[in-house]
Amino acid sequence: MKHQTFTHHDILSVEQFSRSDLSVIMERTDDMKRLVETKGGNDSLKGKIMTALFYEPSSRTFGSFIASMQRLGGGIIPIQGVSYSSVSKGESLPDTVRTFENYSDVIVLRHPEVGSAKIAAEFAQKPVINAGDGIGEHPTQALLDFYTITQHFPRISGLTITMVGDMYNGRTIHSLAKLLSLFEGVALNFISPDLLRVSPSLLTLLKERKTPVAEYENIEGTLGETDVLYVTRVQKERFSDLAMYEKLKHRYIVTPKMLFKMKKKSIIMHPFPRVGEITMDVDLDPRAVYISEQMRNGLYVRMALLSLILRKEQ
Ligand code: ASP
């Protein structure tokens, strides 16, 4: 199957990727990993500029996009906390995006509204990368999560992936589940309180793709069969009822005791920030890859994407 060309293309949703696109991105990610490990970077994006336009807080996505551009020799317009830009004067998203594309070659956008990246892309001539649109999607996180999983399980098919936490509001869950549904035989367990169950529309899509899905309220019964435990926080910023958030936030806490029930070769992931869902002593377990691998892979994947989008077809 021929993969799509990435040059000057938007990245808005994981739905745009085929398995062959994924292979191209994963191969380029391997190249970037090697590059960083051997030389730190290169000048392949010299003369290119990326605007990072973040309307919501971010540490890893923002930091790794900035580092990616700089490691490839490019420049950045970092806007984190739009209160310092004209957005605080009431400027619309289309106007802001059209402003910054005058100064840069790609716009990385994080915004609280679902569909915001798509709207930005409709107005912009330059490529837009969705760095999280509300409770919608987080496609670059899904790619780095996927890369992390393939480092341990190159075949993907046949895995059991257990996702824990806020299935309804967690955009990383939505993107990763859709991406994994491209692979036959990947079984998904969704574990959440009843109020935070995965949306019916995502369940329908997974059913159409014949992805085996199971939903549970308790974590314990799934640990023995799990290959990848993907833990998420309850998304406080999506709650209007903060008392409800307080009630739900620590419904699941992964502790070293629970790990005894897990396979020796399983891995534990978390997109971060964590706010108590995994105790710090779990970090010492070799199966915990969220700090040692997953975060760092964000750099390699984002370098790969910028390189594929901004360089002419090589
Ligand atoms: N950092 C991820 C996101 O932006 C996960 C999270 O915030 O919980 O969606």
Side-chain angles (χ1 to χ4, degrees), residues 3-130:
H3 70 82
Q4 63 170 306
T5 158
F6 290 93
T7 320
H8 301 306
H9 272 52
D10 303 312
I11 299 203
L12 303 178
S13 159
V14 292
E15 299 266 36
Q16 73 194 72
F17 300 127
S18 65
R19 279 176 64 163
S20 94
D21 295 329
L22 275 182
S23 317
V24 173
I25 298 169
M26 296 302 114
E27 254 173 56
R28 184 63 63 95
T29 302
D30 279 336
D31 295 344
M32 292 300 156
K33 183 169 189 241
R34 228 170 295 125
L35 174 68
V36 172
E37 285 170 356
T38 54
K39 298 195 206 136
N42 65 23
D43 272 340
S44 55
L45 294 186
K46 194 164 174 223
K48 303 285 186 192
I49 294 180
M50 172 191 82
T51 297
L53 183 58
F54 278 55
Y55 289 72
E56 279 191 335
S58 172
S59 298
R60 281 147 292 274
T61 307
F62 186 79
S64 61
F65 262 116
I66 300 287
S68 295
M69 202 58 191
Q70 291 181 325
R71 282 186 184 273
L72 294 173
I76 50 164
I77 304 178
I79 301 185
Q80 193 181 27
V82 283
S83 46
Y84 297 110
S85 76
S86 286
V87 170
S88 66
K89 300 182 194 165
E91 187 164 83
S92 68
L93 179 63
D95 284 355
T96 304
V97 164
R98 283 180 293 184
T99 301
F100 285 106
E101 71 171 348
N102 277 299
Y103 313 135
S104 56
D105 303 284
V106 58
I107 294 175
V108 178
L109 177 72
R110 171 167 289 188
H111 193 281
E113 275 160 39
V114 176
S116 50
K118 190 164 173 274
I119 292 172
E122 276 160 19
F123 282 90
Q125 309 290 317
K126 303 274 173 68
V128 171
I129 302 178
N130 181 3

Side-chain angles (χ1 to χ4, degrees), residues 60-61 110 131 138 141 171-172 233 235 237 271-273:
R60 281 147 292 274
T61 307
R110 171 167 289 188
H138 196 345
Q141 176 78 42
R171 56 192 173 203
T172 67
R233 73 184 168 100
Q235 307 276 299
E237 64 275 37
F272 269 50

Side-chain angles (χ1 to χ4, degrees), residues 34-311:
R34 228 170 295 125
L35 174 68
V36 172
E37 285 170 356
T38 54
K39 298 195 206 136
N42 65 23
D43 272 340
S44 55
L45 294 186
K46 194 164 174 223
K48 303 285 186 192
I49 294 180
M50 172 191 82
T51 297
L53 183 58
F54 278 55
Y55 289 72
E56 279 191 335
S58 172
S59 298
R60 281 147 292 274
T61 307
F62 186 79
S64 61
F65 262 116
I66 300 287
S68 295
M69 202 58 191
Q70 291 181 325
R71 282 186 184 273
L72 294 173
I76 50 164
I77 304 178
I79 301 185
Q80 193 181 27
V82 283
S83 46
Y84 297 110
S85 76
S86 286
V87 170
S88 66
K89 300 182 194 165
E91 187 164 83
S92 68
L93 179 63
D95 284 355
T96 304
V97 164
R98 283 180 293 184
T99 301
F100 285 106
E101 71 171 348
N102 277 299
Y103 313 135
S104 56
D105 303 284
V106 58
I107 294 175
V108 178
L109 177 72
R110 171 167 289 188
H111 193 281
E113 275 160 39
V114 176
S116 50
K118 190 164 173 274
I119 292 172
E122 276 160 19
F123 282 90
Q125 309 290 317
K126 303 274 173 68
V128 171
I129 302 178
N130 181 3
D133 61 331
I135 68 166
E137 277 218 35
H138 196 345
T140 67
Q141 176 78 42
L143 292 170
L144 80 89
D145 291 340
F146 182 78
Y147 184 75
T148 305
I149 295 170
T150 60
Q151 298 296 289
H152 293 265
F153 306 102
R155 268 174 42 81
I156 299 286
S157 293
L159 291 179
T160 297
I161 305 205
T162 300
M163 300 185 176
V164 187
D166 191 342
M167 301 297 108
Y168 185 77
N169 296 300
R171 56 192 173 203
T172 67
I173 297 288
H174 307 157
S175 288
L176 184 58
K178 287 182 201 169
L179 201 62
L180 290 168
S181 71
L182 292 176
F183 294 81
E184 282 143 43
V186 174
L188 298 178
N189 290 326
F190 293 124
I191 300 184
S192 69
D194 192 43
L195 270 174
L196 302 178
R197 281 175 62 181
V198 71
S199 70
S201 60
L202 181 52
L203 286 178
T204 306
L205 184 123
L206 295 171
K207 199 170 166 199
E208 275 163 20
R209 295 193 179 162
K210 303 199 167 41
T211 301
V213 166
E215 288 187 275
Y216 303 96
E217 272 205 56
N218 289 316
I219 193 170
E220 275 76 13
T222 59
L223 290 174
E225 64 176 19
T226 294
D227 297 297
V228 177
L229 183 67
Y230 191 94
V231 186
T232 63
R233 73 184 168 100
V234 174
Q235 307 276 299
K236 181 179 184 182
E237 64 275 37
R238 314 296 175 208
F239 280 71
S240 49
D241 177 357
L242 280 184
M244 182 55 76
Y245 165 75
E246 289 298 326
K247 235 169 112 182
L248 298 175
K249 71 175 180 189
H250 287 148
R251 173 70 181 76
Y252 307 104
I253 299 179
V254 176
T255 61
K257 218 173 123 197
M258 285 166 130
L259 304 189
F260 284 118
K261 299 196 185 120
M262 290 184 66
K263 296 180 189 173
K264 270 218 170 74
K265 285 225 161 119
S266 59
I267 57 170
I268 304 155
M269 299 175 67
H270 192 310
F272 269 50
R274 86 174 135 184
V275 282
E277 310 79 34
I278 302 181
T279 58
M280 297 263 289
D281 42 8
V282 171
D283 302 359
L284 301 172
D285 192 292
R287 291 169 289 185
V289 300
Y290 36 85
I291 294 173
S292 55
E293 298 174 36
Q294 194 180 356
M295 280 179 195
R296 179 166 281 261
N297 289 338
L299 174 71
Y300 307 140
V301 162
R302 290 173 177 129
M303 286 172 77
L305 291 172
L306 289 170
S307 140
L308 285 164
I309 292 169
L310 291 176
R311 292 177 66 191

